[in-house]
Amino acid sequence: MAVALTYRDYHNQAFSKFELKMMELEVLKNEANKHVGRLNSLKMRYMDWFLRSQQSFLDSMKLIHILGGDLLPREINTIRNYKRVMRFSGQLPSNGTPRDGSQGKMFGFLMFWEELLMLKRDNDALYKKICDFCSSIRRLREPILKDEIDRLHQRLNLLLSEDFDFTSLSNDRHNLFTYRVALHDHRYHGLVSYIPYLLSIANKLCYWTSKLHIEFV
């Protein structure tokens, strides 16, 4: 990992191994903080979309789900099933009714999913750097933090899948906005809360990265 030169470099004062590792860790923390910014940007845009469009989005999806009948999955409980419903909406002939705009409204949600997948790749790259760094030192001040980072990464890998059933997810206090879904639409709550839930996990991974400290090198 590249480390920026400082004033001391230009006066030929050598850094100790501990100082070099401290600088390396600071670069890693800065990278995690920048990633948090990207995660939060996606969340804020998703919240804005949700608060403005959630009812028309759900109404469009319900209409297509009903029209599809036995041709579509009984439940929209995974991203794969959601994509099947969206593809079906594109196969329906235009009839000049609000149904014609259903696919566009559903596509808006899918764009957030696709962006999350790209951020997951950044998350994976950051996690690898964390693991490489921790392997290069003798001990962290609080090794339990690395255990928590490992757990969060593993959980993100498990949950971020087109086949994951998100119907049983319960969001934390930071994502209570997803509970604005009307009671009669509660069967779709898992879908609209899925992306914020995953963003929270990725955010926590970055948070614990910012709390890492070296004890021995």
Side-chain angles (χ1 to χ4, degrees), residues 127-181:
Y127 175 72
K128 183 180 184 306
K129 291 178 182 179
I130 295 168
C131 291
D132 290 345
F133 175 81
C134 292
S135 297
S136 72
I137 62 172
R138 288 168 58 194
R139 180 179 171 83
L140 291 167
R141 185 183 301 170
E142 296 178 275
I144 193 173
L145 296 186
K146 176 58 166 58
D147 294 339
E148 179 63 8
I149 290 170
D150 291 339
R151 186 190 70 81
L152 290 168
H153 180 71
Q154 184 178 20
R155 184 159 178 75
L156 199 56
N157 284 340
L158 176 67
L159 270 58
L160 205 155
S161 164
E162 287 196 358
D163 296 310
F164 176 76
D165 184 345
F166 42 63
T167 52
S168 61
L169 291 180
S170 297
N171 260 302
D172 58 23
R173 61 187 177 86
H174 300 295
N175 293 320
L176 292 180
F177 70 92
T178 61
Y179 287 94
R180 296 192 180 194
V181 172

Side-chain angles (χ1 to χ4, degrees), residues 7-188:
Y7 178 82
R8 289 180 64 180
D9 292 293
Y10 298 102
H11 289 77
N12 298 317
Q13 295 188 31
F15 290 100
S16 68
K17 184 178 179 181
F18 186 85
E19 288 175 317
L20 287 171
K21 283 298 175 183
M22 285 288 290
M23 293 165 63
E24 190 175 334
L25 181 57
E26 283 305 309
V27 171
L28 196 57
K29 289 181 178 182
N30 287 337
E31 188 171 335
N33 288 336
K34 289 178 181 177
H35 189 54
V36 167
R38 295 190 290 270
L39 295 170
N40 287 341
S41 173
L42 175 56
K43 179 180 177 180
M44 294 305 294
R45 285 182 281 114
Y46 183 86
M47 285 180 63
D48 180 65
W49 169 83
F50 178 86
L51 296 174
R52 287 186 296 103
S53 310
Q54 56 109 351
Q55 196 56 57
S56 62
F57 164 71
L58 292 175
D59 289 344
S60 294
M61 185 170 55
K62 285 188 296 183
L63 176 61
I64 300 302
H65 203 192
I66 292 169
L67 291 174
D70 293 338
L71 296 175
L72 295 175
R74 287 178 58 85
E75 297 292 334
I76 304 177
N77 58 346
T78 66
I79 293 296
R80 190 174 303 279
N81 283 352
Y82 176 81
K83 285 184 173 181
R84 286 181 61 185
V85 175
M86 192 183 80
R87 283 195 298 269
F88 179 80
S89 70
Q91 296 168 2
L92 296 172
S94 176
N95 64 357
T97 68
R99 187 196 73 189
D100 294 347
S102 294
Q103 188 181 40
K105 292 175 182 177
M106 295 181 69
F107 190 72
F109 175 87
L110 192 63
M111 287 298 93
F112 289 111
W113 171 256
E114 295 295 337
E115 186 174 348
L116 180 59
L117 291 179
M118 290 189 290
L119 288 176
K120 173 60 166 58
R121 288 192 284 271
D122 294 340
N123 224 82
D124 289 343
L126 175 63
Y127 175 72
K128 183 180 184 306
K129 291 178 182 179
I130 295 168
C131 291
D132 290 345
F133 175 81
C134 292
S135 297
S136 72
I137 62 172
R138 288 168 58 194
R139 180 179 171 83
L140 291 167
R141 185 183 301 170
E142 296 178 275
I144 193 173
L145 296 186
K146 176 58 166 58
D147 294 339
E148 179 63 8
I149 290 170
D150 291 339
R151 186 190 70 81
L152 290 168
H153 180 71
Q154 184 178 20
R155 184 159 178 75
L156 199 56
N157 284 340
L158 176 67
L159 270 58
L160 205 155
S161 164
E162 287 196 358
D163 296 310
F164 176 76
D165 184 345
F166 42 63
T167 52
S168 61
L169 291 180
S170 297
N171 260 302
D172 58 23
R173 61 187 177 86
H174 300 295
N175 293 320
L176 292 180
F177 70 92
T178 61
Y179 287 94
R180 296 192 180 194
V181 172
L183 188 60
H184 59 268
D185 289 332
H186 193 70
R187 62 186 295 198
Y188 300 109

